[in-house]
């Protein structure tokens, strides 16, 4: 079976399926297939050695019928407009499934952030914001962290936006440090949210999580916090990986210690008592729960039938191709789709925005309680629809997200 997928072809295939099942007319389907606005910019900065660096940047705003555009900014070499468009589309469905009043957007800069100094990254971030500033704003488009951007990047974004407007506007960006209006629990939110979904799914499927083996591909912010949250509820984290490769230990490892090792050696590999594995091998390990928390297109028709996990929780965006989806469904592996599983991040981003707008700061317990409530409701909404449609959870999630957005567009009408 030929599998020539880009993230955009996958996203469009998924949209087509949901539109068909929802009975949307072709006009609506066409509207939802296209982003409302795509901005491409050239980011020119002074490098530390005095030379000039030129980087391509973009921001894609997909749909804002349910509220302002919302979505992360990723720094990644070779990132394409197609990929950012697909990710923006996923954000639209994700916010609708989480039932938060946002539309979907995504930003990207083609850069290997590891090769830039902190000062260069700051200049790059500020220059990028200055180029798209007219399209940003707390009621227009609110950025957040994504791959290779973090709370510090968001602080620079807030400061640049505020400086250009002439006053402090914390609600212009989420995922900021708490010192400047960030929310407690935002950093951990995506990883924690994934585990809330795993808990719900395990209950539904009669899977015991006490001592269940969990393998996690990716040890960035999302993968790490998913590992910590999994351990908190009694699971055994048997494998983790980063871009250099992975480690496997059937007796379990302690995420905090592995992180300390990674900070020292710049890799999770060669950790005491563990066997080194490749990122591909990690996916096929004996485990109960597999959490892809790295890149797109990791579970494909090439390896889907070798997956041994009983449950796959997609912490990354788009890690499974449509063909692989079918294989996992036939194998009766429970798949919790990205637009549901990783919606904890944007959900707490919403809490952060509300706190900023009301000039409040909520305690961590309140944030975590509200996150669990939101995740549980979204999970149950998706399962109810999937059961009604006798479909997999991805189809249920897509139908819920796309359906809510289509309804909003219908009610708003087309102007003029
Ligand atoms: N980048 C995250 C995502 O893909 C978070 C987006 C946000 O908080 O706006 O869901």
């Amino acid at each position: 079976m030929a599998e020539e997928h880009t993230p955009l072809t996958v996203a469009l295939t998924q949209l087509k399926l949901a539109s068909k099942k929802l009975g949307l007319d072709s006009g609506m389907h066409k509207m939802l297939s296209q982003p409302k606005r795509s901005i491409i910019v050239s980011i020119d900065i002074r490098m530390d050695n005095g030379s000039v660096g030129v980087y391509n940047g973009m921001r894609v705003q997909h749909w804002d019928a349910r509220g302002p555009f919302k979505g992360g900014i990723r720094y990644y070499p070779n990132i394409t407009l197609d990929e950012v468009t697909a990710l923006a589309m996923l954000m639209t469905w994700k916010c609708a499934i989480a039932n938060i009043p946002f539309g979907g957007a995504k930003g990207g800069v083609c850069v290997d952030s590891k090769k830039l100094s902190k000062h260069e990254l700051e200049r790059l971030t500020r220059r990028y914001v200055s180029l798209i500033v007219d399209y940003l704003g707390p009621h227009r488009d609110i950025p957040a962290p994504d791959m290779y951007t973090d709370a510090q990047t968001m602080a620079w974004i807030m400061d640049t936006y505020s400086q250009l407007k002439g006053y402090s506007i914390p609600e212009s960006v989420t995922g900021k440090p708490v010192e400047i209006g960030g929310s407690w629990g935002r950093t951990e939110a995506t990883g924690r949210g994934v585990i809330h979904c795993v808990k719900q799914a395990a209950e539904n499927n009669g899977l015991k999580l006490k001592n269940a083996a969990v393998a996690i591909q990716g040890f960035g912010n999302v993968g790490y916090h998913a590992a910590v949250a999994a351990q908190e509820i009694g699971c055994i984290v048997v494998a983790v990986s980063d871009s250099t490769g992975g480690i496997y230990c059937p007796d379990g490892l302690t995420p905090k210690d592995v992180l300390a090792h990674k900070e020292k050696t710049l890799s999770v590999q060669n950790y005491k008592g563990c066997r080194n594995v490749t990122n591909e091998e990690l996916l096929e390990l004996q485990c109960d729960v597999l959490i892809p928390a790295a890149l797109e297109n990791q579970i494909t028709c090439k390896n889907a039938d070798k997956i041994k996990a009983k449950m796959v929780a997609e912490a990354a965006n788009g890690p499974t191709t449509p063909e692989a989806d079918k294989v996992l469904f036939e194998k009766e592996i429970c798949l919790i789709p990205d637009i549901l599983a990783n919606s904890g991040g944007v959900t707490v981003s919403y809490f952060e925005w509300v706190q900023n707008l009301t000039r409040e700061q909520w305690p961590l317990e309140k944030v975590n309680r509200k996150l669990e409530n939101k995740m549980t409701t979204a999970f149950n909404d998706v399962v109810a629809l999937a059961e009604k449609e006798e479909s997999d959870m991805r189809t249920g999630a897509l139908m819920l997200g796309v359906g809510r957005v289509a309804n909003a567009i219908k009610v708003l009408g087309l102007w003029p």
Side-chain angles (χ1 to χ4, degrees):
M1 205 187 312
E3 240 188 343
E4 296 276 318
H5 287 309
T6 68
L8 188 57
T9 58
V10 174
L12 289 173
T13 307
Q14 292 174 344
L15 171 62
K16 206 170 176 183
L17 174 82
S19 302
K20 200 169 154 210
K21 286 210 131 211
L22 287 163
L24 299 185
D25 63 56
S26 67
M28 179 63 78
H29 176 233
K30 234 186 194 161
M31 284 199 284
L32 293 173
S33 317
Q34 304 270 357
K36 188 163 181 178
R37 186 179 288 121
S38 307
I39 310 159
I40 300 179
V41 294
S42 175
I43 311 166
D44 312 329
I45 57 161
R46 183 71 58 198
M47 307 304 283
D48 290 346
N49 67 6
S51 67
V52 171
V54 177
Y55 298 90
N56 293 323
M58 49 213 120
R59 181 78 179 168
V60 176
Q61 299 176 328
H62 179 244
W63 262 98
D64 62 348
R66 290 173 43 91
F69 296 109
K70 184 87 192 81
I73 292 173
R74 67 170 56 178
Y75 288 173
Y76 203 72
N78 310 325
I79 194 160
T80 63
L81 186 64
D82 266 17
E83 187 175 342
V84 178
T85 304
L87 292 165
M89 193 182 282
L90 291 186
M91 283 307 302
T92 308
W93 317 144
K94 196 186 297 186
C95 292
I97 293 164
N99 215 358
I100 52 179
F102 290 136
K106 201 74 155 198
V109 177
C110 303
V111 62
D112 186 348
S113 62
K114 289 180 193 157
K115 293 201 176 129
L116 266 60
S117 71
K118 192 169 173 187
H119 286 302
E120 288 167 341
L121 279 174
E122 178 174 352
R123 288 195 288 275
L124 177 92
T125 304
R126 290 182 181 278
R127 182 85 176 198
Y128 170 57
V129 172
S130 78
L131 288 160
I132 58 173
V133 67
D134 290 343
Y135 297 96
L136 298 179
H139 301 289
R140 202 166 275 178
D141 183 353
I142 308 136
D146 201 90
M147 275 165 67
Y148 296 105
T149 56
D150 58 14
Q152 175 61 76
T153 324
M154 300 308 118
W156 293 328
I157 293 177
M158 172 183 153
D159 188 59
T160 310
Y161 186 81
S162 300
Q163 295 295 339
L164 290 171
K165 297 289 169 187
Y167 60 105
S168 172
I169 312 170
E171 56 273 25
S172 58
V173 61
T174 60
K176 306 176 286 291
V178 275
E179 295 89 327
I180 53 168
S183 177
W184 293 112
R186 174 61 185 85
T187 311
E188 309 91 288
T190 312
R192 286 186 79 88
V194 172
I195 301 303
H196 285 316
C197 286
V198 168
K199 258 190 335 201
Q200 291 296 323
E203 239 171 65
N204 287 3
N205 296 323
L207 173 72
K208 270 226 194 77
L209 286 179
K210 183 105 195 93
N211 294 331
V214 179
I216 304 177
Q217 186 196 46
F219 207 57
N221 178 48
V222 179
Y224 171 70
H225 287 292
V228 172
Q231 205 188 27
E232 262 172 34
I233 60 161
C235 298
I236 298 177
V237 181
V238 294
V240 297
S241 69
D242 60 22
S243 58
T244 64
I247 47 172
Y248 173 56
C249 172
D251 294 337
L253 43 87
T254 309
K256 273 194 189 91
D257 296 346
V258 177
L259 183 66
H261 167 77
K262 181 179 160 74
E263 274 164 5
K264 235 184 352 200
T265 66
L266 301 179
S267 164
V268 295
Q269 287 212 309
N270 305 315
Y271 181 68
K272 59 174 191 299
C274 290
R275 173 159 72 83
N276 283 343
V277 291
T278 63
N279 263 299
E280 295 75 48
E281 282 166 347
L282 181 140
L283 298 171
E284 298 167 19
L285 288 173
Q286 193 68 50
C287 64
D288 298 299
V289 182
L290 174 64
I291 304 182
L295 287 170
E296 300 94 37
N297 287 353
Q298 297 300 298
I299 305 178
T300 66
C301 64
K302 289 202 185 86
N303 61 1
D305 62 332
K306 296 188 200 118
I307 305 281
K308 297 182 191 71
K310 300 183 183 80
M311 189 187 290
V312 175
E314 294 186 326
N317 289 312
T320 315
T321 63
E323 284 83 358
D325 264 350
K326 282 190 202 122
V327 177
L328 299 185
F329 190 62
E330 274 157 24
K331 284 176 63 153
E332 291 183 19
I333 295 175
C334 164
L335 181 129
I336 311 170
D338 47 7
I339 45 179
L340 169 65
N342 69 30
S343 63
V346 73
T347 298
V348 176
S349 274
Y350 164 61
F351 297 157
E352 181 173 328
W353 181 73
V354 171
Q355 289 172 77
N356 295 155
L357 287 171
T358 54
R359 299 294 183 258
E360 282 183 22
Q361 188 146 49
W362 302 344
L364 177 64
E365 296 69 38
K366 178 170 172 176
V367 174
N368 281 343
R369 196 178 57 243
K370 286 176 82 76
L371 171 65
E372 182 159 14
N373 283 343
K374 274 270 184 207
M375 295 298 303
T376 307
T377 306
F379 186 92
N380 291 335
D381 286 353
V382 167
V383 169
L385 194 52
E387 275 172 7
K388 191 170 137 229
E389 295 293 324
E390 294 178 359
S391 72
D392 59 355
M393 276 176 79
R394 185 176 325 273
T395 309
L398 283 164
M399 287 180 72
L400 184 67
V402 174
R404 282 180 177 164
V405 177
N407 280 340
I409 295 173
K410 267 183 221 153
V411 174
L412 286 169
L414 262 188
W415 180 86

